[in-house]
Amino acid sequence: MTTSSHPGGGAAAAVPADQTAPGPEPEPGSPLAAASGPSSVIALVVVLVASFMELLDATIVPVAAPAIADGLGAGEAALQWTVAGYTLALGAGLITGGRVGDQFGRRRVFLPGLAAFAVASAACALAPDPAVLVATRVGQGLAGGLMVPQVFGIIRSSFAPAARAKAFGAYGAVLGLASVAGPLLGGLLVDADVFGLGWRTIFWVNVPVAAVGLGLGVRFLPESHVAGRAPLDLPGAALAAAAAVCVLLPLVQGHAQGWPWWGFVLLALSVPVTALFLRRERRLVARGGQPVLDPGLLRVRTFSSGLAASALFFGAIGSFFLLLSLYLQYGTGRSALETGLVILPYAAGSILTSGAGVQLAARAGRLLLVTGSLVLAVSQLLLLLVVRGGGAPSYWELALPLFIGGLGLGLTSPSLVDVVLTGVPARDAGAAGGVLTTVGQIGNAIGVAALGVGFFTALDTASAAGAPPLTAYADAFSSVLPWQIACYVVAAALMLLLPKHTDAPGGGPDVSGGGPATVSDAGR
């Protein structure tokens, strides 16, 4: 599964991919084989609408973050949790959600997931305070963890191989559209203040879309599942999430609360919790079970290097759009819509190179990934020079480095998982793809926390010294850009250990849907 990058919510990886083994081919005469023509097209529309909605939601939030802060009185920690909580919950649910769909039926899991996403969206829109908003965003992420993994299985089971490529192409186009529409629609909805709802409209918009999807889905979505039912590794998934929370909670809350003692205790606890998780997974493998992570995969150099590179790559992107939005709106005085327009060149750049990136991966492999990561590093360096230049930068001064960054994202994101999986035994490709995607999501969430700490610490220092807002926010944003550059450079070095090329054009084992990298792909 390729990952996706949300502004502030996704580490740019191209597409939330299916972490599970490919579903069965439709057999002649079966209901699935017969579901061609209008019925299969409507089924495709349903899953595409749901994917568009989920990705749109992730790309909208960073642009609306300042309005959320003003409307709810949300502090720095609440803003970070609004982004990181969603990403962490989504990542924690992806592998388990994929297996639940394989065993109990993808339609049977997709539709409740879509309904839960709509309910959580409405709860976000009604949130009376930051704590409720964070909790409902986590609910959205968990619902997405049920819904997203079913998309690829439904497409595979609804279309014959000849038509499947076009269906996945449509999926990629929808992701590209969402990456462009998200920031713009977010800015437009916030500035329009429809019915006086302000930022709440970015969540309300999901409800009618989901209602249409549910109505069509009940009527037209086919059912499919994988034969055999292995027990779900829910304790393993819970331990992995607990280890991530032990790191995230003190990082996000620590600065706002003066670095309390319990934060250091939780950070220390993350080590034994991780060790307990790995021990449990080893024992589960020894008993013939299906763990969240087979520790044996960590001994494969390609896979372990790919995990580290993925965590760094998506961790660097994780907080970028949230912090950029804060700088643009609070620092330079731009509106939410103007902020969305500034982000647009990044989306355009990623769309331009993502298709070529997938095709070049078969020949260029790791060279393509290294190039994309270094291009992103160069783009951040150019942006650093612009932000430090003094004064409020013009649209075009910001657009050039952001466009270059989008080009780098498009080169790396769609192919990262496929290149890594080329060096993994074929029997382990499905599980390894799911773990890679989940680690990208967790890296994204940790990036939001860690880089957010640096940003808000520098902001407090500059503000305490009496700096005007433009200077204070420029100093804060400038303080995190070198760390992002370092993450991209180290990720590029780790990518040198990956395979030189993938097995075939378009990527390695079929564990992802492919498609363009999007602004919202970061870490997803």
Side-chain angles (χ1 to χ4, degrees), residues 6-9 54-68 78-84 86 124 133 137 140 182-183 186-187 190 199 202-203 206 321-322 325 329:
H6 307 71
E54 188 275 330
L55 191 52
L56 190 73
D57 190 79
T59 58
I60 278 179
V61 170
V63 173
I68 293 173
L79 284 183
Q80 289 174 275
W81 277 120
T82 300
V83 174
Y86 176 87
C124 288
L133 178 61
R137 281 285 285 169
Q140 272 191 316
V190 171
W199 60 267
I202 70 171
F203 297 113
N206 292 335
F321 292 99
L322 172 63
S325 182
Q329 294 185 51

Side-chain angles (χ1 to χ4, degrees), residues 77-105:
L79 284 183
Q80 289 174 275
W81 277 120
T82 300
V83 174
Y86 176 87
T87 304
L88 178 62
L90 178 68
L94 283 174
I95 294 178
T96 300
R99 288 177 179 167
V100 169
D102 286 345
Q103 293 184 15
F104 299 103

Side-chain angles (χ1 to χ4, degrees), residues 179 216 460:
S179 71
L216 293 175
D460 288 348

Side-chain angles (χ1 to χ4, degrees), residues 107-322:
R107 177 183 184 273
R108 193 173 297 163
V109 175
F110 175 84
L111 292 177
L114 177 57
F117 195 89
V119 171
S121 297
C124 288
L126 294 169
D129 56 55
V132 173
L133 178 61
V134 169
T136 52
R137 281 285 285 169
V138 170
Q140 272 191 316
L142 292 174
L146 284 177
M147 179 177 67
V148 169
Q150 317 314 325
V151 171
F152 297 94
I154 289 173
I155 291 177
R156 290 193 190 101
S157 62
S158 299
F159 290 89
R164 196 176 300 153
K166 293 182 180 179
F168 280 127
Y171 179 84
V174 164
L175 290 190
L177 178 60
S179 71
V180 174
L184 293 179
L185 182 60
L188 182 62
L189 289 174
V190 171
D191 282 2
D193 193 21
V194 180
F195 303 123
L197 294 172
W199 60 267
R200 298 178 190 273
T201 54
I202 70 171
F203 297 113
W204 279 125
V205 73
N206 292 335
V207 177
V209 174
V212 172
L214 284 169
L216 293 175
V218 169
R219 174 71 175 82
F220 293 102
L221 275 185
E223 185 59 279
S224 66
H225 58 81
V226 173
R229 295 189 177 185
L232 300 174
D233 184 18
L234 294 178
L239 282 172
V245 170
C246 284
V247 174
L248 286 173
L249 189 60
L251 285 179
V252 174
Q253 300 292 142
H255 176 254
Q257 298 187 15
W259 302 108
W261 62 268
W262 56 261
F264 298 99
V265 172
L266 282 178
L267 284 172
L269 278 176
S270 67
V271 177
V273 172
T274 301
L276 181 61
F277 165 70
L278 293 174
R279 181 183 179 187
R280 174 191 159 72
E281 301 303 271
R282 289 191 190 97
R283 290 185 173 183
L284 186 59
V285 171
R287 297 198 303 266
Q290 293 186 7
V292 170
L293 167 64
D294 181 351
L297 287 171
L298 298 177
R299 294 193 292 270
V300 179
R301 188 189 72 170
T302 295
F303 184 70
S304 57
S305 300
L307 279 182
S310 179
L312 286 169
F313 185 85
F314 297 130
I317 296 174
S319 63
F320 176 68
F321 292 99
L322 172 63

Side-chain angles (χ1 to χ4, degrees), residues 264-472:
F264 298 99
V265 172
L266 282 178
L267 284 172
L269 278 176
S270 67
V271 177
V273 172
T274 301
L276 181 61
F277 165 70
L278 293 174
R279 181 183 179 187
R280 174 191 159 72
E281 301 303 271
R282 289 191 190 97
R283 290 185 173 183
L284 186 59
V285 171
R287 297 198 303 266
Q290 293 186 7
V292 170
L293 167 64
D294 181 351
L297 287 171
L298 298 177
R299 294 193 292 270
V300 179
R301 188 189 72 170
T302 295
F303 184 70
S304 57
S305 300
L307 279 182
S310 179
L312 286 169
F313 185 85
F314 297 130
I317 296 174
S319 63
F320 176 68
F321 292 99
L322 172 63
L323 303 183
L324 174 63
S325 182
L326 294 176
Y327 162 69
L328 291 175
Q329 294 185 51
Y330 287 142
T332 70
R334 285 176 166 85
S335 68
L337 179 57
E338 289 171 331
T339 297
L341 290 170
V342 168
I343 294 173
L344 183 59
Y346 197 102
S350 71
I351 293 173
L352 280 177
T353 54
S354 59
V358 171
Q359 297 302 316
L360 289 173
R363 298 190 300 272
R366 69 186 180 199
L367 178 61
L368 182 73
L369 303 184
V370 170
T371 300
S373 194
L374 292 179
V375 167
L376 270 163
V378 170
S379 76
Q380 300 299 82
L381 178 60
L382 293 175
L383 185 60
L384 178 62
L385 296 176
V386 170
V387 174
R388 282 185 174 175
S394 69
Y395 178 87
W396 295 109
E397 287 176 318
L398 294 165
L400 177 60
L402 289 174
F403 178 73
I404 293 173
L407 295 176
L409 174 66
L411 290 174
T412 303
S413 176
S415 307
L416 176 57
V417 171
D418 287 337
V419 173
V420 173
L421 294 186
T422 298
V424 173
R427 67 180 183 277
D428 298 320
V435 172
L436 274 168
T437 302
T438 299
V439 166
Q441 295 281 15
I442 293 173
N444 174 274
I446 291 176
V448 172
L451 296 178
V453 166
F455 179 91
F456 288 112
T457 299
L459 180 63
D460 288 348
T461 301
S463 298
L470 176 58
T471 301

